[in-house]
Amino acid sequence: MKSGKRLVIEAVTAPLVIWAFIWAWFYINPPHDISRDNFNTSWLLITVVSYFITLVIVALFVGRLLKKAGYRFEFRELPRVLNEVDPKIIGDSTRDIFNIVAMWGVFSTAVLAFGVKKGTIFTVAVYLVLSSIGLLLMISMLISVLGTALILYELLTGRRLSHSFEKALLLSLLSGAFLVLVRLMSGYPWAFNITVVRPLLKVCTDNYLCKNLLLLSALNALYGIIGILILPKRRRLGLLLLLIIALAIAPLLVKVFIQLHSL
């Protein structure tokens, strides 16, 4: 089995290699909004510096993860601890590490296309959209597709499977709360002067779409609550309720995608 240190190195290197290939392709065949002149020293400097900043963020993330698992160490001892730690602790979070570095690539590409100021604004806007609407849609898709399959399997076979109800509840509540906040902000003209939240404001000013997104968030949260409170006590009833919610999410999810596409 790979060591924790190797897992971290692979998780931070893989997106770097992927973005390097993408940028090489952009240089060979420049898109309409990126010219070869954009590949200059200032962009390279920003990319390198921001990558090292990202590595620091990853190190802090991994350090916090290990401390939550019970390890006690100084920050400079992190490489040694990673060699000794149970790889499963790191393995469960490699996707998060990958995503952190992937966002660095989004930022660097945005700077390449739009410049530092506009690129930073674009990156923050993308992050806000992904962490609210994108996260909500992802959870809804997992519940409606994977959740339905798992529930049916349990009902038909009687075998108990693992579900992540706590995460579904927490993330749904967070994304829903953020949408409510943006919805409240959309009632004030000054909010539209904040460039980074403008895409979200556009979504939340559509009453029907915003209502459906909040309904999705509520159904996802209800799914998590039933999984936490009812399922352990009354298994079959809990599974049936979860199945009803998962099936109710599917058509609503389709509506939301259609509405988002028509914006």
Side-chain angles (χ1 to χ4, degrees):
M1 183 178 288
K2 298 177 182 178
S3 67
K5 185 177 180 179
R6 183 172 178 181
L7 289 173
V8 172
I9 291 174
E10 289 180 354
V12 299
T13 305
L16 171 63
V17 173
I18 292 170
W19 280 114
F21 273 110
I22 292 173
W23 294 329
W25 178 258
F26 284 169
Y27 185 80
I28 297 170
N29 297 290
H32 69 280
D33 53 350
I34 298 177
S35 68
R36 288 184 178 177
D37 294 335
N38 293 28
F39 292 88
N40 49 40
T41 306
S42 61
W43 172 76
L44 182 61
L45 181 62
I46 291 170
T47 300
V48 172
V49 171
S50 60
Y51 183 72
F52 281 106
I53 293 173
T54 303
L55 291 181
V56 172
I57 295 172
V58 169
L60 293 173
F61 171 78
V62 173
R64 184 180 178 187
L65 182 71
L66 294 176
K67 287 180 179 179
K68 285 177 67 176
Y71 291 86
R72 294 291 177 265
F73 56 92
E74 297 293 331
F75 185 75
R76 63 177 180 273
E77 297 177 306
L78 181 60
R80 176 186 60 79
V81 176
L82 283 173
N83 279 326
E84 301 171 355
V85 73
D86 183 356
K88 290 183 179 179
I89 297 175
I90 302 298
D92 293 338
S93 298
T94 50
R95 182 181 298 177
D96 296 325
I97 297 171
F98 182 96
N99 290 337
I100 291 171
V101 183
M103 283 304 298
W104 157 80
V106 173
F107 166 72
S108 297
T109 305
V111 171
L112 179 66
F114 308 121
V116 179
K117 183 179 179 180
K118 290 184 178 180
T120 303
I121 292 172
F122 176 84
T123 305
V124 174
V126 168
Y127 179 78
L128 289 176
V129 171
L130 290 178
S131 60
S132 54
I133 297 175
L135 185 62
L136 177 59
L137 295 178
M138 183 185 69
I139 296 169
S140 301
M141 286 189 290
L142 287 174
I143 291 174
S144 61
V145 179
L146 183 60
T148 301
L150 291 176
I151 293 166
L152 289 174
Y153 181 81
E154 283 201 42
L155 286 170
L156 293 173
T157 64
R159 296 181 61 183
R160 296 194 175 191
L161 300 174
S162 175
H163 301 265
S164 299
F165 296 114
E166 292 83 1
K167 285 186 178 180
L169 175 60
L170 177 61
L171 295 176
S172 298
L173 290 176
L174 288 175
S175 58
F178 190 74
L179 284 173
V180 170
L181 176 62
V182 176
R183 174 67 175 176
L184 293 174
M185 288 176 60
S186 67
Y188 299 92
W190 56 263
F192 290 87
N193 295 325
I194 306 175
T195 310
V196 293
V197 297
R198 203 172 290 160
L200 284 173
L201 290 171
K202 183 179 179 181
V203 170
C204 290
T205 50
D206 186 323
N207 292 329
Y208 191 43
L209 174 56
C210 187
K211 187 185 298 182
N212 284 338
L213 286 170
L214 290 174
L215 183 56
L216 269 181
S217 178
L219 287 173
N220 292 346
L222 182 61
Y223 182 90
I225 291 171
I226 290 174
I228 295 170
L229 299 180
I230 298 179
L231 190 62
K233 299 176 182 178
R234 302 187 64 181
R235 193 79 187 174
R236 191 165 186 83
L237 174 62
L239 287 172
L240 289 173
L241 291 174
L242 290 174
L243 181 60
I244 292 171
I245 294 172
L247 293 175
I249 287 174
L252 183 60
L253 189 60
V254 173
K255 284 184 182 179
V256 168
F257 274 119
I258 293 172
Q259 290 170 322
L260 286 171
H261 185 265
S262 63
L263 282 178

